[in-house]
Amino acid sequence: MTKRLDYNQVAPNGVKALGGVYGYIMQSGLPAELVDLVYLRVSQINNCAYCLDMHTRDLIKKGVKIEKLALVQAWAEAGHLFSERERAALAWAETVTRVSETGIPDEAFQAARAVFEEKELVDLTIAIGLMNVYNRLAIGFRNTPQAVLEN
């Protein structure tokens, strides 16, 4: 896979603006591990190798067990391995990322709203949207995952 272009060099102000949104999410009060699990799940749905590699590494550095990482894709069947808030965040991430298919039904909103305060849900949705943008940049311009560079 050959990198098509370096969007960091081509549009540094745009990338910096996205970094500002990332910074906002990191100071929003949402737990960093929960946000990274959501980033990983969104990246799985979008099949973004670059982001899958990066967020898996981030979660490992945070001490998340490999068994949990292996089951992010099947979180709904993983029982107590994921907390109630993690399950709600992952479900919300799936329906928001697949908006063209789901239309984000009222039941999905009510389920997320039962677990998250209004601001948390807005911040979580901003994080999901941000990761979808990053996935599209990385896939569209063929960012190379670190794992590929190391081998």
Side-chain angles (χ1 to χ4, degrees):
M1 176 171 72
T2 303
K3 190 173 197 169
R4 292 176 171 164
L5 60 84
D6 184 349
Y7 53 83
N8 292 297
Q9 297 245 331
V10 173
N13 291 336
V15 174
K16 184 177 177 182
L18 291 174
V21 175
Y22 177 82
Y24 169 80
I25 294 303
M26 297 317 295
Q27 63 80 39
S28 70
L30 290 171
E33 184 177 316
L34 180 125
V35 171
D36 279 336
L37 285 170
V38 164
Y39 287 167
L40 180 61
R41 184 64 190 120
V42 169
S43 298
Q44 287 174 336
I45 293 166
N46 290 324
N47 204 31
C48 181
Y50 178 83
C51 297
L52 287 167
D53 181 61
M54 180 173 54
H55 298 300
T56 299
R57 289 170 186 271
D58 289 347
L59 285 159
I60 289 169
K61 286 178 193 168
K62 287 182 170 88
V64 177
K65 302 257 187 259
I66 294 295
E67 296 81 6
K68 186 171 186 175
L69 291 175
L71 293 175
V72 169
Q73 190 169 333
W75 62 266
E77 290 82 37
H80 69 280
L81 198 56
F82 294 90
S83 71
E84 178 186 23
R85 285 174 60 85
E86 289 170 338
R87 289 191 305 272
L90 293 167
W92 186 246
E94 289 180 1
T95 196
V96 170
T97 297
R98 294 180 171 134
V99 65
S100 68
E101 301 165 26
T102 68
I104 310 177
D106 290 340
E107 306 82 56
F109 172 75
Q110 294 302 333
R113 186 64 182 91
V115 177
F116 294 102
E117 299 294 325
E118 286 181 353
K119 184 178 180 309
E120 290 178 317
L121 190 54
V122 170
D123 290 344
L124 183 59
T125 307
I126 292 169
I128 293 163
L130 177 65
M131 188 46 48
N132 274 284
V133 170
Y134 278 135
N135 288 169
R136 280 146 180 80
L137 286 167
I139 294 167
F141 299 118
R142 304 290 190 253
N143 274 10
T144 305
Q146 185 177 338
V148 173
L149 296 172
E150 292 173 351
N151 291 316

